Amino acid sequence: MAQLTLIIGNKNYSSWSLRAWLLLKHAGVEFEEILIQLDTPATHDEIDRYGPSGRVPILRHGELADIERIDEIWNDIRQRFGSGGPWLFGAEYTVADAMYAPVVLRFNTYGARISQTARWYMASVLEDAALQAWLAAAKQEPWTIAADEVG
């Protein structure tokens, strides 16, 4: 198995980096840590060296692409725990489904190539009434952030 590398932002400011770092530590997973100082002229270029999101944390696993790794995770969880329903862990919606909802939206937007199992899971998330209510409300918001708009 290839070595994991966790790319994080400043420990004093990046709470998202803290989440990933804590999870790996508590799971006893060995990983290399790369810290990128946030809010400097070089921050964006440094983050781009490791992934296209422009955000930290980034978890790298050898040459495995992020989409492929998430597909593997979804397949494994669905196989072991998900036979009782449409969500990752079966019949009940869990925090895992909430955490992966933005990923599902990105995969849908960019047409990610994923397995049949992952497509079924994505369909469940995309059809969720609560997510649909969020998306409908988002479309009604009158403001935009120009730097975050594409095209």
Side-chain angles (χ1 to χ4, degrees):
M1 177 185 243
Q3 173 71 26
L4 291 175
T5 303
L6 181 64
I7 297 90
I8 62 172
N10 303 60
K11 290 181 178 173
N12 195 36
Y13 295 103
S14 183
S15 61
W16 283 96
S17 295
L18 169 64
R19 291 172 176 137
W21 189 90
L22 283 173
L23 178 64
L24 293 173
K25 286 292 188 179
H26 278 275
V29 175
E30 291 187 30
F31 63 96
E32 175 187 357
E33 176 185 310
I34 297 174
L35 189 143
I36 296 176
Q37 186 177 351
L38 301 177
D39 202 27
T40 72
T43 299
H44 183 71
D45 290 338
E46 285 294 311
I47 292 172
D48 279 350
R49 289 179 50 205
Y50 300 102
S53 72
R55 306 265 191 259
V56 291
I58 301 166
L59 182 62
R60 301 294 310 232
H61 182 266
E63 296 300 316
L64 189 61
D66 294 337
I67 292 171
E68 291 173 6
R69 180 64 184 130
I70 291 171
D71 196 327
E72 283 182 3
I73 291 167
W74 289 352
N75 275 276
D76 179 52
I77 293 171
R78 292 289 300 149
Q79 179 184 18
R80 292 191 297 147
F81 308 107
S83 64
W87 304 112
L88 275 180
F89 289 91
E92 298 295 322
Y93 191 89
T94 69
V95 68
D97 300 301
M99 294 301 287
Y100 275 119
V103 176
V104 167
L105 292 173
R106 286 188 187 106
F107 282 10
N108 189 56
T109 297
Y110 297 113
R113 298 179 70 164
I114 55 174
S115 68
Q116 183 68 24
T117 298
R119 282 195 299 273
W120 279 104
Y121 173 65
M122 278 185 57
S124 296
V125 174
L126 293 169
E127 293 169 3
D128 179 51
L131 180 63
Q132 287 300 313
W134 174 278
L135 296 174
K139 287 181 183 177
Q140 299 303 313
E141 291 181 351
W143 54 84
T144 59
I145 299 172
D148 289 340
E149 294 296 315
V150 178

